[in-house]
Amino acid sequence: MITCACFASALAAFLGATSALAQKAYDPGAGDTEIKLGQSTPLSGPASAFGAGAGRAVVGFFDMVNERGGINGRKIAFTQLDNAYSAPKAIEQSRKLVEDIGVLAEVGTIGTVPNVAIQKYLNSKQVPQLFITAGGRRFNDPKTFPWTVPLYPDFETEGRVVAKYILMSKPEAKIGVLYQNDDFGKDYVRGLRAGLGERAGQIIAETSYELTQPTIDSQIVQLKAAGVDTLIEQSSAKATAQAIRKVHELNWSPLHIIGGSTASVETVLKPAGLEASKGVVTTLFLKQPGDPAWADDSEVKAYKSFLAKYAASTNPDDYSVLVAYMNVNALALVLKKCGDKLTRENLVHQATSLHGERLPLMLPGLSIGMKPDDYTPFRTLRIATFNGESWTLTGDPVTAE
């Protein structure tokens, strides 16, 4: 005979179990024991210098996560494919990730070209295009592309920050601008002009180049001849290295500001020449592991230890690796916040609710600026100057607004 007390206890246990089960929600790619994630990245092709090292770091990070038991008890099944920095290849690989492998989200895709290519497809499938490494304004468009979430300072914001820095440090500057003739360059220049406001007339010369051009030497000569004393460029890693070398060869000494995406000592400044790179200025948002100022920093030590164990062939000073490390830490945080509600909608909701959060290796004074109706990842950046060996922070954080 079942007593009332026993029945009540059994019923409570049953209802509790039912409630726990009801709280779980999964979309394709998620379950009780596993979360499928994917990434296409340039392991070959013109951007492989960025993609290869960053790719190894991302794989290593998920190996570490799984070794430690996963996230909320679920292991990460991670698939990484090569898109060769080609738009058609990127679309092909995204289709494979979504339709064949069945990932919950595509994460950490590097570069404007691949991300533009896959943006419409992933949004049409309502698959998160999460924490991409691209700073084009088009990637912050919650109304048109709600499933695309950037986690890299957008180029327009960067341009505004640089404008503020110039107005504070060199108000009478005669500015010359070199930019890549695509959204990567144009967004930056738009932000620069907006930030200068009534002083935009101080831009006395402006020239662009095509990504396919073998050299930008003639553009540098042109800007020098125009009487420029402040050279601002938003260009590719290769073009930036060429510009630094050419400025040095011409014995020209302008205030030379380069884009944050080309601030890598390893892949840009070393090829340009460390001596030639002295005095170059950029925007930063992450600590530089090679900077003596961070030698005893606990986050930098943890980062180096992680790479030594899980991605030993990766250079800790490679800027693209730093960005990838920030991305995967953000992703792990968001997945943890999702709990047992691992739907694509909740993933985007949690990702775009990180406002005020600080991630490992972010510089003092900076935090994530994301909001559900405005995906701007960073609203404040730091200015840094290269001293011949590493980047040195200059002044206080600069806010774009």
Side-chain angles (χ1 to χ4, degrees):
M1 179 177 179
I2 301 175
T3 67
C4 289
C6 289
F7 178 77
S9 176
L11 179 61
F14 173 76
L15 291 175
T18 304
S19 175
L21 287 171
Q23 289 173 4
K24 292 185 178 182
Y26 299 133
D27 271 349
D32 284 344
T33 61
E34 183 181 75
I35 303 169
K36 291 182 181 179
L37 299 173
Q39 177 191 64
S40 80
T41 197
L43 301 175
S44 63
S48 59
F50 292 105
R56 287 192 294 272
V58 171
V59 170
F61 184 86
F62 290 125
D63 287 343
M64 177 182 72
V65 165
N66 288 338
E67 191 177 282
R68 295 177 178 180
I71 297 175
N72 295 333
R74 299 173 178 87
K75 298 293 181 71
I76 304 299
F78 184 67
T79 302
Q80 186 177 77
L81 303 175
D82 180 18
N83 63 34
Y85 208 72
S86 156
K89 188 70 173 177
I91 295 172
E92 176 189 332
Q93 301 295 45
S94 287
R95 288 185 183 278
K96 184 174 182 180
L97 289 171
V98 174
E99 298 171 23
D100 296 343
I101 297 169
V103 298
L104 180 67
E106 181 166 341
V107 300
T109 304
I110 293 175
T112 300
V113 171
N115 278 299
V116 168
I118 64 178
Q119 187 175 25
K120 193 173 291 186
Y121 167 73
L122 291 175
N123 276 264
S124 71
K125 293 290 185 179
Q126 297 187 341
V127 174
Q129 184 182 5
L130 202 59
F131 296 155
I132 64 174
T133 301
R137 181 66 184 172
R138 65 175 289 141
F139 301 121
N140 177 8
D141 188 357
K143 289 185 178 179
T144 310
F145 298 112
W147 301 91
T148 300
V149 184
L151 192 65
Y152 189 86
D154 70 80
F155 303 133
E156 192 169 325
T157 293
E158 187 179 2
R160 286 177 177 270
V161 165
V162 166
K164 278 200 167 186
Y165 169 70
I166 292 170
L167 292 175
M168 289 186 293
S169 63
K170 198 170 182 178
E172 303 304 320
K174 296 176 182 177
I175 302 168
V177 181
L178 170 66
Y179 66 95
Q180 191 166 293
N181 190 27
D182 55 19
D183 287 348
F184 170 70
K186 291 175 182 177
D187 282 355
Y188 183 100
V189 176
R190 186 180 300 112
L192 177 68
R193 286 187 170 277
L196 289 171
E198 295 177 353
R199 308 289 284 276
Q202 289 179 221
I203 299 176
I204 64 171
E206 192 174 300
T207 183
S208 65
Y209 75 96
E210 301 298 329
L211 184 59
T212 54
Q213 285 182 223
T215 176
I216 45 82
D217 284 1
S218 62
Q219 284 92 332
I220 297 299
V221 171
Q222 176 187 339
L223 291 169
K224 183 189 178 190
V228 166
D229 65 14
T230 302
L231 171 61
I232 302 173
E233 66 169 301
Q234 175 73 336
S235 52
S236 68
K238 176 184 172 183
T240 300
Q242 289 177 346
I244 292 170
R245 274 201 308 268
K246 191 62 179 178
V247 166
H248 187 66
E249 288 171 7
L250 292 172
N251 292 315
W252 186 22
S253 302
L255 170 60
H256 190 175
I257 302 174
I258 65 173
S261 62
T262 57
S264 173
V265 175
E266 190 66 25
T267 59
V268 177
L269 302 189
K270 281 187 178 179
L274 296 181
E275 184 63 30
S277 300
K278 273 187 181 179
V280 169
V281 172
T282 194
T283 60
L284 292 180
F285 60 103
L286 296 173
K287 297 171 184 176
Q288 301 293 300
D291 190 331
W294 307 113
D296 296 321
D297 183 82
S298 59
E299 291 179 346
V300 170
K301 285 182 176 180
Y303 164 72
K304 288 182 174 180
S305 295
F306 153 69
L307 289 181
K309 183 173 181 180
Y310 294 97
S313 63
T314 301
N315 188 329
D317 295 318
D318 186 331
Y319 192 69
S320 61
V321 176
L322 284 171
V323 174
Y325 184 75
M326 177 188 71
N327 282 353
V328 286
N329 271 283
L331 183 60
L333 175 62
V334 166
L335 288 170
K336 189 172 182 180
K337 284 177 176 289
C338 283
D340 291 332
K341 190 178 179 182
L342 284 164
T343 64
R344 288 164 173 167
E345 183 178 359
N346 191 39
L347 192 61
V348 169
H349 170 70
Q350 298 296 340
T352 57
S353 301
L354 291 180
H355 190 79
E357 294 273 3
R358 187 192 168 280
L359 300 169
L361 293 184
M362 281 176 56
L363 288 169
L366 305 187
S367 62
I368 298 298
M370 212 91 72
K371 299 176 183 177
D373 61 346
D374 182 358
Y375 293 177
T376 301
F378 288 85
R379 299 165 195 273
T380 302
L381 300 172
R382 300 295 300 265
I383 301 294
T385 304
F386 188 68
N387 64 15
E389 295 181 357
S390 61
W391 292 105
T392 302
L393 294 179
T394 304
D396 296 325
V398 179
T399 301
E401 297 161 348

